[in-house]
Amino acid sequence: MKQEYTSQAELINGDLRVRVEAGELRSFRRGDREYMHDPSEPGWGHSDTEMFPVIGPTAEAAYRVQVPRGNAIQDQHGLLRELAYSCTVREKDRAVFVREYKAGTPVANSKYPGRSTARLLIWPFSFRVEKHFQLGPGSLEITFRVEGEKDMPYMFGYHPAFRLGGEGSLEACGREFELSEILAAGDRALEVPACETVFLGGDTPLRIHTAGFGNFMLWSPDPGMVCVEPITYYPYTHGPARLHEGFRFLDSKKAEFSVRLQPAG
């Protein structure tokens, strides 16, 4: 029987430190400099999460998403975030967390009834998502491995929140974004298409390199933080009723995405 560890992991490599709690990246530090947003501070009650198997709002479509098979009832950003992670690997500089779902299993929606009328969420395909943390001497690599039924439709996005200090400038693919511009975008988030690298400036400079996603969304509910979200699809491209037009399909029962966080100062 495969050993499972506690839901927490502390990783160390040189002057880099990482703390993961129940699969959530709660802290990424270089010396005394913290890069991750603290959920207890204003803005957002998490430091990271994942968006799967859909990205974006579904309320306007009565929480129904068109798929080739059966019922798909999804709240905003999908149901993966409602599942518990289990830790299957824990070493000094590496940890692996896993979430699994069996097709057709009803999942309680934590937003119900206060922020949603969908009590239960359901997806007609089975899947498994692995979240790998590898702490190198100068960066943190987070790799997602998505396994599921062949031709399963899906979108995938990573939703980390970073601290902002000082000017808090942000550059992506040759364009500079002001925090005011990101704040003004509101809950729709600001689209950054066809881009895989972002530089986050200010007092906690950080380079964010991605592979497999292809795009970003930028979201901030508070001047002290910003979410830099690599995504496979920007959900407002066609609107909630046509969300299905943004699906990719698993062509080999497996897909991989990666995010590298590299302190720059």
Side-chain angles (χ1 to χ4, degrees):
M1 185 174 179
K2 192 168 185 178
Q3 182 178 4
E4 289 194 358
Y5 301 89
T6 62
S7 62
Q8 295 192 17
E10 301 272 352
L11 311 181
I12 301 174
N13 194 321
D15 62 350
L16 294 182
R17 302 286 189 277
V18 162
R19 186 176 83 255
V20 183
E21 296 181 5
E24 184 174 349
L25 178 58
R26 295 297 298 270
S27 176
F28 176 41
R29 302 180 67 91
R30 184 180 190 181
D32 61 357
R33 181 173 290 174
E34 175 66 66
Y35 295 91
M36 303 305 297
H37 164 69
D38 186 336
S40 68
E41 295 179 351
W44 189 45
H46 295 276
S47 53
D48 85 348
T49 192
E50 290 78 53
M51 300 174 280
F52 180 87
V54 301
I55 299 172
T58 56
E60 292 178 33
Y63 303 101
R64 267 61 177 178
V65 180
Q66 182 177 323
V67 295
R69 180 201 301 176
N71 256 340
I73 304 174
Q74 300 287 295
D75 208 323
Q76 181 161 326
H77 297 331
L79 59 71
L80 182 65
R81 60 180 58 195
E82 302 291 357
L83 307 178
Y85 267 121
S86 60
C87 182
T88 58
V89 175
R90 190 180 64 201
E91 300 172 357
K92 180 180 179 181
D93 60 358
R94 187 172 78 97
V96 179
F97 290 80
V98 177
R99 281 171 168 161
E100 294 186 88
Y101 176 79
K102 183 178 179 180
T105 303
V107 175
N109 183 7
S110 61
K111 294 184 177 182
Y112 176 86
R115 294 181 293 152
S116 174
T117 60
R119 184 172 66 88
L120 297 173
L121 309 177
I122 195 167
W123 186 246
F125 301 87
S126 297
F127 62 77
R128 170 187 172 96
V129 176
E130 297 180 355
K131 187 176 185 180
H132 294 244
F133 294 91
Q134 179 69 62
L135 186 60
S139 65
L140 172 64
E141 187 91 14
I142 305 167
T143 302
F144 299 96
R145 293 176 185 163
V146 178
E147 298 180 15
E149 300 175 51
K150 192 175 187 301
D151 295 326
M152 179 184 77
Y154 74 96
M155 304 169 199
F156 193 79
Y158 181 43
H159 194 312
F162 302 102
R163 296 183 66 177
L164 275 183
E167 295 297 321
S169 62
L170 194 150
E171 296 177 12
C173 295
R175 181 181 170 189
E176 185 168 330
F177 295 87
E178 298 292 337
L179 179 59
S180 59
E181 183 180 5
I182 300 170
L183 288 164
D187 287 342
R188 289 178 65 96
L190 192 65
E191 180 186 15
V192 185
C195 187
E196 294 191 319
T197 301
V198 169
F199 175 73
L200 186 60
D203 295 339
T204 53
L206 186 72
R207 295 191 186 279
I208 303 165
H209 307 271
T210 70
F213 298 93
N215 314 277
F216 283 99
M217 291 192 301
L218 307 176
W219 175 68
S220 177
D222 185 88
M225 59 155 288
V226 66
C227 290
V228 180
E229 309 169 35
I231 53 173
T232 59
Y233 175 71
Y234 181 65
Y236 295 97
T237 301
H238 300 296
R242 296 169 60 190
L243 202 60
H244 61 279
E245 296 185 26
F247 279 132
R248 293 184 183 181
F249 295 86
L250 280 178
D251 56 7
S252 62
K253 295 189 177 182
K254 188 178 297 186
E256 187 167 297
F257 306 88
S258 66
V259 178
R260 187 169 79 254
L261 306 180
Q262 183 178 9

